[in-house]
Amino acid sequence: MTTFLAVIFSPGSAALAGPVAGTDRSIQGGLQKTTVLVGGMTCAACVRRVESALTSVDGVTEAAVNLATGRATVIHQPDWAGVEGLKSIVSEAGYESLGLFEPALEDPIEAERERELRALRIKFMVGAAMIITLILLGRLLETKARGKTSMAIKRLMGLKPKTARVIRNGQEVDIPVEAVMKGDLIVVRPGEKIPTDGVIASGASSVDESMLTGESVPVAKKAGSEVFAATLNKSGSFTFRATKVGAETALAPTAVTDFEALSGLGAKALLDGNKCLLGNLRLMEQEGIEINGLGEKAKRLAGQGKTCVFVAKAGRAIGLVALSDVPKASAADAFATLKAMGLQIAMLILGVFL
């Protein structure tokens, strides 16, 4: 708030009249009256502090401050420190000197209030714009995430080869992968993808299983080793016997159909004709899922700072996954360095399911 300050310079003989402009020499005894404007005062304590500061100026005998108008009237000797002296002492006291009071001109106090109001309006508009921006950004990221998930599933389904080289009647024959039956002997050469799950009957090689396990190092395979659909044979040739085909393969449960991301809840999809859910407790309650005693376990894990994700199939919860973030070993040193630089640390904590 901006306030008017009145400084009175005489020991009691001078009476403060109504508003005066600049310096008024009409006071008896040779004393003079000057009215200035002071900004930044907010309470009675501010008034006393400014009055005390003004009476310490050379030549000033009295000072009176009006908090509501921001005017300070001083009574002073003809030979005094002047308006510059008042300005200096007001600044030293922590307030703003707005110059001499001139009633014919625009009121600086009102002008200051208008500036404050404009600044507040701008801050409000900026804050509102940021909130709207964050909401729109969240929707954009959610939409992009759904699109990426859909594309990832399509790519995953596309990893499986379209044909398989099986041994029929002693001959190698290329047939559609959908025609492969359990027990078929299948030949895989270097650089080819494995068409279905099985066990190696003869030969040896190394297989890149990163699309299933995330492990980038190829896995050595020999007679008796399991191999999986859509993984990549690297160096050798081998023959394996099909043990799982179609929806039974390890790839099939990974590539679910009718996948849908549910904002703030989790996701749902169809798997072998069954409705499957992956998400938080709200999603389970919303879908009427039987928790089967997993609710208490979830509360206990959440109390340990873990994020709990329920897994449900065909209307019943069949599992619970607890997730937690582990701070990096270097985090403490990084925070200490930032604080030593005088920076304030702000943390943004994002949760997914609970």
Side-chain angles (χ1 to χ4, degrees):
M1 177 184 292
T2 306
T3 312
F4 289 103
L5 166 68
V7 182
I8 303 179
F9 299 91
S10 89
S13 59
L16 291 178
V20 292
T23 300
D24 185 348
R25 301 179 182 274
S26 64
I27 298 179
Q28 296 178 355
L31 296 177
Q32 298 175 356
K33 182 192 298 183
T34 299
T35 301
V36 294
L37 300 171
V38 177
M41 294 186 293
T42 58
C43 61
C46 294
V47 170
R48 290 192 295 272
R49 192 175 297 114
V50 173
E51 287 179 342
S52 176
L54 290 172
T55 54
S56 68
V57 175
D58 290 343
V60 174
T61 58
E62 292 183 47
V65 175
N66 187 316
L67 178 63
T69 62
R71 298 174 189 169
T73 301
V74 295
I75 302 298
H76 57 88
Q77 301 290 342
D79 184 15
W80 67 305
V83 176
E84 287 301 319
L86 299 182
K87 180 178 180 180
S88 176
I89 200 68
V90 167
S91 298
E92 289 177 8
Y95 301 92
E96 184 180 5
S97 175
L98 300 176
L100 288 172
F101 170 62
E102 298 287 351
L105 302 176
E106 179 186 12
D107 189 343
I109 302 301
E110 288 302 321
E112 178 65 21
R113 289 193 184 113
E114 284 298 322
R115 285 194 295 270
E116 290 178 2
L117 287 173
R118 284 196 296 269
L120 288 174
R121 291 191 191 103
I122 292 173
K123 288 180 180 178
F124 174 79
M125 292 177 66
V126 171
M130 289 191 65
I131 292 172
I132 294 172
T133 300
L134 290 174
I135 292 174
L136 294 177
L137 177 61
R139 291 178 180 174
L140 172 64
L141 294 176
E142 179 185 347
T143 302
K144 291 184 69 175
R146 286 202 300 265
K148 288 181 179 179
T149 301
S150 177
M151 289 300 297
I153 292 172
K154 290 179 180 178
R155 292 192 186 103
L156 194 60
M157 294 295 289
L159 291 175
K160 195 173 182 180
K162 299 296 186 291
T163 61
R165 186 175 295 105
V166 301
I167 299 177
R168 297 275 174 90
N169 301 320
Q171 300 291 325
E172 294 184 7
V173 181
D174 288 340
I175 63 173
V177 71
E178 293 81 9
V180 173
M181 297 182 294
K182 290 182 181 179
D184 276 343
L185 281 176
I186 303 172
V187 178
V188 181
R189 295 170 180 167
E192 293 181 342
K193 289 182 179 179
I194 298 171
T196 191
D197 292 3
V199 177
I200 293 181
S202 62
S205 184
S206 60
V207 177
D208 180 356
E209 297 181 343
S210 59
M211 52 77 58
L212 281 179
T213 65
E215 176 58 56
S216 61
V217 179
V219 180
K221 301 290 183 176
K222 60 182 180 179
S225 298
E226 283 188 302
V227 291
F228 304 99
T231 56
L232 180 64
N233 181 32
K234 299 292 285 187
S235 55
S237 296
F238 59 87
T239 300
F240 75 96
R241 190 172 299 279
T243 57
K244 296 178 182 179
V245 296
E248 298 175 337
T249 64
L251 176 66
T254 307
V256 296
T257 59
D258 294 329
F259 178 88
E260 181 182 355
L262 305 173
S263 178
L265 297 172
K268 66 180 180 180
L270 285 178
L271 179 61
D272 295 334
N274 294 308
K275 184 178 181 179
C276 298
L277 299 171
L278 182 71
N280 57 18
L281 181 59
R282 286 194 297 125
L283 177 60
M284 301 298 116
E285 293 173 345
Q286 180 176 304
E287 297 289 333
I289 302 299
E290 297 178 14
I291 301 301
N292 301 325
L294 294 176
E296 290 301 319
K297 292 182 180 180
K299 289 181 180 179
R300 185 173 66 254
L301 292 168
Q304 299 171 5
K306 295 180 172 64
T307 297
C308 294
V309 184
F310 292 88
V311 181
K313 181 179 181 181
R316 298 177 65 254
I318 60 173
L320 180 67
V321 181
L323 309 173
S324 63
D325 292 326
V326 179
K328 291 185 178 180
S330 59
D333 292 337
F335 272 89
T337 301
L338 291 172
K339 288 182 178 179
M341 295 170 64
L343 299 176
Q344 292 185 339
I345 309 300
M347 296 181 65
L348 179 63
I349 302 175
L350 300 176
V352 177
F353 292 110
L354 286 182

